[in-house]
Amino acid sequence: MKVPHYQRYLIIGILLSLIGVMVFAQMVHIQTSVHAKAVTEYGETWAYVPQTIFPERGKIYDRQGSLLVGNQLLYEIGVNLVDVTDPETIARALESILGLDYSTTLEQVSIISSASSSYIILTDFVSSSKAGEIKQLMETYGRMAKDPKYANQLPPSLDGIILTAHLQRSYPEGSLASNILGFYTLKTSDISKTADRHEIRVGYGFYGVEQNYNDLLAGTPMDVRIPLDPNHVDEIPDLPPGSDLILTIDREVQSSMERVIDKHVKSSGAESGTLIVLDPKTGEVLAMATSPRLDPNRYWEIENLFKNRVFYNRAVSTTYEPGSVFKVITMASAMDAGVITPETPFLDTGAFEIGGYVIRNWDGNAWGEQNMIGCMQHSLNVCLSWVAKQLGPKSFYEYLNRFGIGHVTGIDLANEATYPLRTPDDGVWYDVDLATHSFGQGLAVTPIQLASAISAIANDGTIMAPHILKSMVSNGRQYNTTPQVLANPIKPETARTLTDMLATSLEEESSDALVEGYRVAGKTGTAEIPTEYGYSLGVTNASFVGWGPVDDPRFLVYVWLEKPKSSIWGSIVASPVFRDAVQELVVLMNIPPDNLRAKLEQ
Amino acid sequence: MKKGWSQAYKIVPWRGQLQWLGIMTVALVAVSLVAWVYLSVSSKASIAGRELQFYQNKKSNAIESIAQLETDLALVTSSTEMSLRAKKLGFKQVGPSRFTYMVIPGYGGKPAAELAPYTLTRTQNEVITPGFTQSIWDWMYGSFVQPASEY
């Protein structure tokens, strides 16, 4: 039987349609199968490059807006192994421009690209100028490749080299204020295995402002996925940079104070020096100079510079027995409690017995009839021990607590230290402690702690919280900090009386701390240094604290010279530091001499 | 009337073929039109995407350059550099004895730093409208399917 031709067409049509339906059904099956999701996800991993975007780290300025810490452009030099055509030329070029070892580089770039190593880093932190030289050479070789002259030969090539720019912390002022600023390191860490580039940079702020305000400066990094398909290109969100910080320090004042302290450390043969300048009315730190100082651009030298448990910023991290500068606190407490007045008489017999111990003066002599001005002027331990006893332990330690002794000041710098103060409530306190504490032995403070406590006397009895941050610039706005009151340990009248008393005391002893044209108040300190075997002989900490002008204090200067060799006495080595510092300060802070200021204010 | 049309097609078969041809042509033109619109939008989106990448790179380069220039400026005006330059030019530090102080009405001394930048960040939506990033299917889904499903 013969099948009609239209039936044959029908059969073929049905068969083809069936095939089509089957193909379609299989397509639907593939698209909806359990494997489809996995395949899609696998495809997605190749469609995007995960990347962590780090915002530009915030900059740090001084109070006038001079840049103290910025960022500079440096380059990472790497090679994409699959693109390398001329390893010898790459090794030779990098040797001549960057000084990289020829054979090591040649070995590195000659590795055959594999799935595990397609990109290798040859070096990092290359300056813009050096990177520019490499780029220029790459362009030259690129032009040569297109030149018909080289049609029959293989021109040199730097193909494969990849220069990746990144920002690195820069400290344009070098070691200036490095104890305040701290430093920032870059650490390369393998924290993202899924990233195309396995290495991601993570930075850390160490010490000072860099550590204390690390979170503010760093901003918030963001993880993004960069699509490789241009159809899916999306805008990378605008990442706000880290906050910029404006500090209370003045670059010129800081620089000048560093010069002063460096000069005196050298001339006195001291192990180190610390000089703090505070504005007693606001608590702003105008300068905080310590020696030695590190150049934060070369932060890896820290271990060479700070050995044997020496702290990076002695002004906030080192506690020491201050000695006689502490008498200012004792005298202020007793006067405020009404126990004594500047005219209170005292007969100095050269010895004061307490708790089975005998307290003697610094020279071992008896100074006879004195008043409180004389006691401070001659820095009599016997007198101050008597004053503390008149005040009584309960009241004395209450006052010390109010002055913040034994507590951190809360200054916004990293690693502030404090030393616990022994009080009668402790089991380790003895009667003699009342006497030794009265003249600054047997207790320990940081320079900023004592400077902050004594600033109450320069500021009508009020301690303003010492701080280093003046303003913060974040998200397009500047936020200024407001000075905060830390405590009111004494009455304004007490503060003024004591200031006048200390100014008179300096004038009467013709102290080396006096500054021509300006009336200043202050007190010297010479403290023996405790060791495991008792107090050391012939080695001291020399200090001076002073402020001025006494009628309207604009600055408080705290000086500490550690183990001076030229003389052990604070009055000889530390007082001239104060004088030199004030001579510079009155110029930099535009403070006219007292007589002229009175005329100008009329 | 309907019978008349049917009879006319039976008498002249090419009229039926012509009708099929017309329908096919219209379908082809419609498909071509959709394909053209799709390709055109896709290519524009691709170009915009590439431009976006280009400008993003340019922007990050500019940020890096600004940081570098600011640091360069700070380096040449640093305290140490300025002191050295002043010494080279023969300047000397003046002592207080050579100062003349005077009151200048309205002058309150050196002002504190004011560094607040002036521009505000713009949100993503303000820069790229969805038309540059979504496909025609995304658009149809967003315009017709999704609104309908909300009811």
Side-chain angles (χ1 to χ4, degrees):
Chain A
M1 185 186 159
K2 195 176 178 182
V3 180
H5 72 278
Y6 68 88
Q7 283 185 350
R8 288 203 295 270
Y9 285 135
L10 190 65
I11 291 163
I12 292 167
I14 289 167
L15 281 171
L16 287 175
S17 298
L18 273 174
I19 291 168
V21 168
M22 284 165 69
V23 168
F24 186 74
Q26 182 63 10
M27 280 170 63
V28 171
H29 172 69
I30 290 171
Q31 290 293 327
T32 55
S33 72
V34 287
H35 303 295
K37 200 180 169 193
V39 170
T40 310
E41 282 174 0
Y42 183 68
E44 287 280 301
T45 61
W46 293 96
Y48 293 90
V49 177
Q51 203 174 355
T52 304
I53 303 172
F54 292 95
E56 184 190 353
R57 193 171 170 84
K59 295 180 272 290
I60 303 174
Y61 300 86
D62 82 337
R63 65 188 296 130
Q64 309 293 345
S66 299
L67 187 74
L68 299 174
V69 186
N71 300 303
Q72 63 177 328
L73 193 57
L74 294 178
Y75 287 83
E76 174 193 284
I77 311 290
V79 283
N80 233 355
L81 293 170
V82 74
D83 296 328
V84 173
T85 56
D86 190 352
E88 289 84 6
T89 304
I90 290 175
R92 205 176 310 119
L94 297 184
E95 184 188 32
S96 65
I97 297 170
L98 304 178
L100 298 185
D101 181 58
Y102 175 82
S103 51
T104 311
T105 312
L106 184 63
E107 195 181 325
Q108 285 176 308
V109 298
S110 301
I111 299 168
I112 295 164
S113 171
S114 66
S116 61
S117 66
S118 58
Y119 176 86
I120 52 167
I121 299 168
L122 296 175
T123 187
D124 204 346
F125 309 111
V126 173
S127 68
S128 301
S129 59
K130 294 282 179 193
E133 284 180 45
I134 297 171
K135 279 181 194 169
Q136 205 171 13
L137 201 58
M138 287 169 84
E139 281 170 16
T140 308
Y141 289 163
R143 279 197 299 274
M144 284 167 73
K146 291 174 191 166
D147 196 329
K149 276 196 292 185
Y150 296 93
N152 298 326
Q153 53 179 308
L154 202 63
S157 166
L158 293 179
D159 285 353
I161 288 187
I162 291 178
L163 291 92
T164 311
H166 63 82
L167 291 173
Q168 160 77 346
R169 216 60 172 150
S170 173
Y171 301 84
E173 299 284 349
S175 65
L176 183 95
S178 63
N179 55 312
I180 296 171
L181 300 172
F183 57 83
Y184 178 81
T185 68
L186 266 184
K187 185 185 172 192
T188 304
S189 146
D190 184 11
I191 60 165
S192 177
K193 293 288 180 193
T194 54
D196 189 33
R197 294 275 304 286
H198 292 260
E199 309 285 318
I200 287 182
R201 288 192 178 79
V202 181
Y204 301 91
F206 288 94
Y207 303 108
V209 175
E210 289 275 26
Q211 181 177 330
N212 199 64
Y213 288 107
N214 187 56
D215 290 347
L216 270 179
L217 289 164
T220 312
M222 185 182 277
D223 290 321
V224 291
R225 297 199 312 157
I226 310 289
L228 297 175
D229 179 357
N231 280 315
H232 290 109
V233 166
D234 224 343
E235 189 194 14
I236 296 172
D238 261 339
L239 206 55
S243 303
D244 292 339
L245 305 181
I246 301 167
L247 305 185
T248 56
I249 60 166
D250 184 311
R251 184 183 75 163
E252 303 309 328
V253 174
Q254 177 71 24
S255 170
S256 172
M257 293 304 107
E258 287 183 359
R259 275 198 305 273
V260 168
I261 198 71
D262 287 350
K263 186 181 99 179
H264 284 275
V265 164
K266 198 176 172 186
S267 64
S268 67
E271 272 188 14
S272 75
T274 299
L275 198 162
I276 300 172
V277 183
L278 281 180
D279 179 346
K281 290 176 182 169
T282 60
E284 289 181 351
V285 177
L286 302 175
M288 185 183 274
T290 60
S291 88
R293 290 178 303 280
L294 175 79
D295 180 353
N297 294 305
R298 304 173 64 80
Y299 58 81
W300 49 90
E301 291 175 355
I302 186 170
E303 288 180 3
N304 300 330
L305 205 58
F306 297 92
K307 290 176 180 168
N308 304 328
R309 295 174 62 202
V310 170
F311 293 100
Y312 188 76
N313 186 358
R314 284 170 160 87
V316 297
S317 304
T318 305
T319 55
Y320 80 111
E321 293 197 14
S324 297
V325 281
F326 200 83
K327 287 172 182 163
V328 177
I329 303 279
T330 306
M331 192 58 80
S333 305
M335 283 173 64
D336 195 69
V339 174
I340 52 153
T341 65
E343 291 76 32
T344 301
F346 176 72
L347 180 65
D348 187 274
T349 57
F352 181 78
E353 193 178 337
I354 184 167
Y357 292 87
V358 177
I359 302 296
R360 296 189 187 280
N361 287 323
W362 55 274
D363 58 354
N365 291 333
W367 285 71
E369 282 186 10
Q370 298 288 329
N371 60 15
M372 290 303 119
I373 298 173
C375 285
M376 292 300 273
Q377 187 182 328
H378 308 303
S379 199
L380 303 179
N381 296 344
V382 169
C383 176
L384 267 292
S385 300
W386 173 80
V387 168
K389 192 163 185 200
Q390 297 304 303
L391 186 58
K394 187 170 180 288
S395 192
F396 179 66
Y397 287 102
E398 266 178 22
Y399 268 105
L400 294 198
N401 193 41
R402 281 194 228 167
F403 274 106
I405 306 302
H407 306 287
V408 290
T409 64
I411 189 170
D412 44 351
L413 288 171
N415 307 321
E416 187 188 3
T418 187
Y419 191 84
L421 177 68
R422 288 200 308 277
T423 64
D425 298 332
D426 302 332
V428 289
W429 185 86
Y430 302 97
D431 287 344
V432 70
D433 285 334
L434 178 67
T436 57
H437 288 177
S438 72
F439 52 87
Q441 297 272 193
L443 52 74
V445 293
T446 59
I448 189 66
Q449 199 178 15
L450 200 49
S452 171
I454 293 174
S455 71
I457 296 140
N459 187 37
D460 285 346
T462 301
I463 301 174
M464 301 304 291
H467 61 281
I468 202 78
L469 183 69
K470 189 165 180 66
S471 308
M472 176 185 78
V473 180
S474 181
N475 287 327
R477 289 175 187 219
Q478 181 166 325
Y479 303 89
N480 296 328
T481 55
T482 313
Q484 305 284 323
V485 174
L486 201 63
N488 292 292
I490 51 169
K491 294 185 277 291
E493 312 84 75
T494 311
R496 283 180 219 137
T497 308
L498 185 57
T499 297
D500 191 55
M501 198 173 141
L502 291 171
T504 308
S505 154
L506 287 184
E507 286 157 0
E508 285 184 2
E509 66 173 312
S510 303
S511 167
D512 281 342
L514 292 171
V515 181
E516 196 184 336
Y518 299 86
R519 190 158 192 248
V520 291
K523 177 78 188 78
T524 56
T526 305
E528 292 176 315
I529 300 172
T531 67
E532 289 176 24
Y533 314 102
Y535 283 95
S536 59
L537 296 171
V539 185
T540 60
N541 279 315
S543 307
F544 190 93
V545 63
W547 56 96
V550 291
D551 58 333
D552 179 24
R554 298 271 307 275
F555 55 79
L556 178 141
V557 178
Y558 191 93
V559 178
W560 169 33
L561 289 174
E562 191 179 0
K563 300 176 187 171
K565 288 193 180 76
S566 61
S567 168
I568 61 166
W569 303 111
S571 56
I572 295 173
V573 288
S575 299
V577 184
F578 173 80
R579 181 198 57 219
D580 288 356
V582 172
Q583 278 175 346
E584 297 270 336
L585 278 175
V586 292
V587 173
L588 293 166
M589 294 175 71
N590 288 326
I591 305 171
D594 292 345
N595 58 349
L596 200 58
R597 191 157 40 87
K599 281 182 200 164
L600 290 170
E601 282 169 2
Q602 280 169 4
Chain B
M1 182 66 183
K2 194 179 175 186
K3 196 179 172 184
W5 275 110
S6 166
Q7 193 180 11
Y9 277 99
K10 275 182 185 170
I11 295 165
V12 190
W14 59 264
R15 282 183 175 158
Q17 290 162 0
L18 197 65
Q19 192 183 32
W20 276 108
L21 196 67
I23 291 166
M24 292 298 286
T25 310
V26 167
L28 192 67
V29 167
V31 168
S32 306
L33 202 65
V34 169
W36 177 78
V37 169
Y38 187 81
L39 283 172
S40 171
V41 170
S42 297
S43 64
K44 278 186 183 171
S46 298
I47 292 165
R50 284 294 174 211
E51 278 185 358
L52 193 61
Q53 283 180 330
F54 172 75
Y55 286 117
Q56 273 168 354
N57 287 340
K58 216 170 169 182
K59 182 183 150 194
S60 62
N61 288 345
I63 288 171
E64 288 165 351
S65 298
I66 290 166
Q68 178 68 49
L69 289 170
E70 205 176 351
T71 304
D72 288 346
L73 186 66
L75 279 166
V76 294
T77 56
S78 69
S79 186
T80 322
E81 280 294 317
M82 294 295 274
S83 301
L84 282 173
R85 220 175 304 159
K87 270 181 194 166
K88 268 186 193 172
L89 291 168
F91 288 101
K92 282 179 186 169
Q93 197 171 354
V94 176
S97 58
R98 294 184 61 189
F99 284 177
T100 305
Y101 289 95
M102 61 181 79
V103 176
I104 301 170
Y107 178 68
K110 285 190 277 186
E114 281 185 27
L115 302 171
Y118 306 107
T119 52
L120 292 172
T121 52
R122 300 174 71 191
T123 61
Q124 182 181 347
N125 288 343
E126 286 175 299
V127 180
I128 306 167
T129 58
F132 283 97
T133 55
Q134 66 185 174
S135 70
I136 197 165
W137 306 116
D138 293 337
W139 173 73
M140 285 173 70
Y141 182 79
S143 304
F144 304 111
V145 182
Q146 210 170 26
S149 67
E150 285 171 6
Y151 291 102

